[in-house]
Amino acid sequence: MNAMAPIQRVLLGYGSESGTARALARRLADHPALHGHSPEVLALNDIDVAQLGHGDVLVAVASSFGDGEPPANGERFVAALRQAHSLQGLRYAVFGLGDTGYPRFCGFSKALDALLGERNALPLLQRVDADACYPAFFDRWAPALGEVLAGNGTAAQDLCLQVTAYGQDHAFNAPIVARERLSRSDPAAWHITLDLTGSGIVHQAGDTLHVIPDNDPALLQALAAWYGDSRAALVLADRELRLPGRAVLREIARLGGSEPLRQLLKSSQRAALEAYLHGHDLLDILQDHAHPDTVPLQRLAALLSPCLPRAYSIASAGGQAQVALCVREVRYTRRGRERRGAGTGTLLQGTGSVRVYCRANPGFRLPDDPECPLLLIGTGTGIAPLMGLVQEMAAGDRRREICLVFGEKRRADDFLYRAQLLAWQQAGHLTALLTAFSRDGQAKYYVQDAIGDHAAPIAAWLDRGAHLYLCGNRRHLEAAVRGAIDGVVAATGSPHGWEALAAQGRLHCELY
C-alpha cells in the first residue's frame, strides 16, 4: 500500500437481491475501520467502470442470485467489467455472500474477483466466501480491511474467510447419529439422523441432502466371482453399479455381441428397457448379455461413472447441527441374491458415517408472507420435507394456519411420525391434520378423497392465499391431487384451482 498512489476515493459497491449485501455495505461505511475515508455506498450498477483507476479502492459486497447468477443491480456492472481492457491502479476487495446449497456457491462474487484480477486490478485482501456465517466473517474482515487501507499491507495476508462448498467430488463425512424405524410394515420407513457438526453446511427446510452411497459388499463379491478375479471388488468399489447409463449399456451390448440388449436400447423400446432394468443391477446385465472375456474388468471400470449421489428431502428444520431424513428401505431377493438400495443400504446397513452434501431447493421453502396459510399434502416418506417445514415453524414459535394431509396404507402400522404430528396439533402448530389410510376400510381411501371430503375448509384456506406443498410418488400422486383440488373449485366456486395456484407461485411440488 505504501508504494501505491494515495487513496482518492473508496467506493462500497453492493450487489444485492434481498437487501443483505446492501445493509452490510452501509454497515461497513459506518465502521470505525473506514473513518477518514468518507466511503461512498452505491449499487454496483451505479459505478462507472470506465472511471475506475489510480487512487480508487473498490470494495464489492456482493450476493449471488440463485445458482451463482448476478443480482439485478450488479448485471450491468459485470457486463461493463467484461468489456474493460485494463483497470491498472485500481485496488479492490470482495466480500461474497452465497448459499452453499447451490453448486455455484458465491458464483457472482467469485466472477467479480476473477474479472478484476484479469484486468490488472490489485486485490487488497483474499476474497471472502460467506454463507450464513457472514456476521462472524464480517467482524474479522472489516478491521483487517481498515488496517490495509491505513497502509499496513501485511495485516490481512493470512486472513482466509472462505466457507467450504461441498459437492459430489468433495463430500462431508457425516456421522450417523440415530436410526429409528417409523413403520411396523415392510418395506419399513426409517428416520435417520446425521451430524453435520464442523461441516459449515447451512440448510433450510425444504432443501435436499445428497448421499454418495457405498456399494454393497455382497454385490462386489458376486462381481468378483463372475470375473473369477478377486481384484474386481476393489476395482469396482467406487463405480456406479445400480444405475448404468445408456452409453454403458450400448458398449456392453457391443462388446458382448448381444442383439437382445441392442434391441432394448432402441427408442421405441423405452418402456421395455425400463421394465428390464427395474430391480436389476450391473451383474444381472453382464450375466444376461456378456461374458467375462468379452467385457474385460478394466474396460468395464473405465466405462462406469463414480457412484451417483442419491437425493433425499430433508425432514428437519434448518439452522441445526443435525439433519434428519425419512427413507423407505429397499430390500428384496432376485435370482437368489438379496438386493438393497444403494442409498438406503448405505444409510441403514453401512458404517457409522456417510458422505453427503446439501443442495438448495428454493421452490420448496416457506413463503415470505408470514400470514398466508399452508396446505401440506404428502404420502409415505413424502412427508419428509413437510415435517421440516412444520418443524421450522414450530422451532421459531411462528404461528400460521397449517393443514397437513397425510396418506399411507394402515393407521396401526404406517402412521409415520404419529406422536410428533399429534403433539404439534395439540400445541397449535398444526391447525388441521387430515389422514387417509387406503387399506383400513372396505373401499380404498386416498389423500384425494380426504381433500374432497374437506372441500369447504380447504377452499377457505386457498381463498385466504394458502400455498400448496405436495410431496410423494410422481406416478400416482400429482394427477390425483390436481383432480381433487380442481374438484374443490367445482364444489365451492373457489377461483383457486391448480393452474391458478401455479400461475401465482403458490404451488410447490417435490415429486419422485
Side-chain angles (χ1 to χ4, degrees):
M1 280 291 299
N2 291 333
M4 300 293 290
I7 296 174
Q8 300 297 324
R9 60 174 180 164
V10 176
L11 302 175
L12 304 186
Y14 62 83
S16 182
E17 199 71 34
S18 65
T20 302
R22 179 178 59 222
L24 206 58
R26 290 173 175 170
R27 181 180 164 191
L28 181 61
D30 294 331
H31 198 281
L34 269 71
H35 284 178
H37 291 290
S38 303
E40 185 177 1
V41 181
L42 298 166
L44 285 170
N45 281 352
D46 294 333
I47 296 174
D48 187 349
V49 173
Q51 297 301 314
L52 294 175
H54 292 278
D56 291 334
V57 173
L58 170 65
V59 180
V61 183
S63 295
S64 294
F65 175 64
D67 190 17
E69 296 301 317
N73 54 14
E75 289 179 333
R76 292 199 309 273
F77 179 81
V78 76
L81 267 186
R82 290 193 173 99
Q83 296 299 317
H85 295 293
S86 177
L87 294 172
Q88 191 164 5
L90 174 69
R91 288 157 283 184
Y92 75 95
V94 176
F95 192 105
L97 298 158
D99 184 338
T100 52
Y102 288 98
R104 295 179 63 238
F105 167 61
C106 279
F108 175 57
S109 50
K110 290 176 181 177
L112 277 182
D113 184 31
L115 285 167
L116 288 164
E118 289 166 4
R119 280 142 187 81
N120 304 312
L122 176 69
L124 299 177
L125 302 89
Q126 292 189 61
R127 185 191 67 247
V128 176
D129 298 335
D131 197 330
C133 62
Y134 74 86
F137 278 12
F138 180 84
D139 289 343
R140 295 176 60 191
W141 176 78
L145 174 64
E147 287 193 48
V148 173
L149 293 178
N152 185 356
T154 63
Q157 63 183 10
D158 297 324
L159 185 64
C160 182
L161 302 172
Q162 295 182 341
V163 171
T164 300
Y166 295 97
Q168 184 173 354
D169 296 329
H170 180 59
F172 177 72
N173 204 38
I176 299 173
V177 176
R179 299 179 176 110
E180 177 189 356
R181 183 165 176 155
L182 297 174
S183 63
R184 292 193 292 185
S185 63
D186 288 321
W190 292 80
H191 183 80
I192 311 291
T193 306
L194 306 173
D195 189 359
L196 302 181
T197 300
S199 68
I201 293 175
V202 179
H203 66 87
Q204 297 183 42
D207 289 347
T208 57
L209 195 74
H210 292 241
V211 172
I212 300 177
D214 296 319
N215 278 313
D216 185 352
L219 174 56
L220 290 169
Q221 290 303 318
L223 281 161
W226 187 75
Y227 270 108
D229 187 343
S230 61
R231 295 175 302 167
L234 180 61
V235 171
L236 301 175
D238 66 344
R239 301 288 92 184
E240 178 54 56
L241 306 179
R242 296 299 304 268
L243 301 171
R246 295 180 71 89
V248 173
L249 296 175
R250 280 195 295 269
E251 189 63 5
I252 290 176
R254 187 187 71 80
L255 293 171
S258 173
E259 184 60 27
L261 184 54
R262 273 198 289 265
Q263 291 298 318
L264 279 174
L265 287 165
K266 290 183 176 180
S267 57
S268 61
Q269 298 299 307
R270 181 181 298 272
L273 179 63
E274 289 179 358
Y276 169 70
L277 293 176
H278 182 71
H280 280 180
D281 54 36
L282 182 67
L283 179 56
D284 296 313
I285 297 164
L286 291 172
Q287 289 173 333
D288 289 346
H289 301 287
H291 299 281
D293 56 342
T294 61
V295 185
L297 175 59
Q298 294 298 333
R299 176 62 178 142
L300 179 66
L303 282 174
L304 298 172
S305 69
C307 286
L308 298 174
R310 272 62 171 177
Y312 298 93
S313 296
I314 292 175
S316 54
Q320 301 178 349
Q322 294 186 347
V323 63
L325 305 177
C326 178
V327 304
R328 180 81 64 186
E329 185 172 12
V330 178
R331 185 177 62 184
Y332 57 97
T333 299
R334 180 169 294 180
R335 298 187 180 184
R337 287 194 291 122
E338 185 177 71
R339 321 289 180 96
R340 294 183 183 275
T344 56
T346 299
L347 289 166
L348 296 172
Q349 304 295 325
T351 60
S353 63
V354 61
R355 294 169 294 160
V356 302
Y357 60 94
C358 185
R359 283 292 173 259
N361 186 16
F364 211 82
R365 289 178 176 169
L366 290 167
D368 294 332
D369 182 355
E371 303 297 329
C372 70
L374 305 180
L375 177 59
L376 313 179
I377 306 168
T379 57
T381 56
I383 196 174
L386 311 182
M387 293 294 294
L389 295 176
V390 180
Q391 188 182 104
E392 194 147 300
M393 294 291 298
D397 200 28
R398 292 175 286 170
R399 302 300 177 102
R400 67 167 95 205
E401 290 181 279
I402 302 178
C403 172
L404 174 63
V405 187
F406 173 64
E408 250 289 5
K409 291 181 180 179
R410 295 179 176 83
R411 179 181 296 271
D413 298 329
D414 306 307
F415 197 162
L416 310 186
Y417 297 107
R418 177 176 183 168
Q420 180 65 78
L421 292 172
L422 294 176
W424 277 337
Q425 186 179 28
Q426 185 174 9
H429 297 299
L430 281 179
T431 310
L433 176 59
L434 310 179
T435 56
F437 294 100
S438 60
R439 304 297 193 273
D440 276 353
Q442 290 185 337
K444 292 182 179 179
Y445 189 77
Y446 298 105
V447 290
Q448 59 265 33
D449 300 309
I451 292 169
D453 288 345
H454 297 81
I458 286 175
W461 280 313
L462 295 176
D463 291 345
R464 288 199 296 276
H467 281 235
L468 189 156
Y469 293 77
L470 178 67
C471 186
N473 185 281
R474 180 185 304 275
R475 182 177 300 177
H476 305 295
L477 191 61
E478 182 176 14
V481 172
R482 175 176 184 155
I485 293 298
D486 288 343
V488 167
V489 168
T492 64
S494 168
H496 299 107
W498 190 270
E499 293 295 339
L501 293 174
Q504 296 163 15
R506 294 163 55 195
L507 181 62
H508 313 269
C509 296
E510 186 69 19
L511 301 163
Y512 49 87

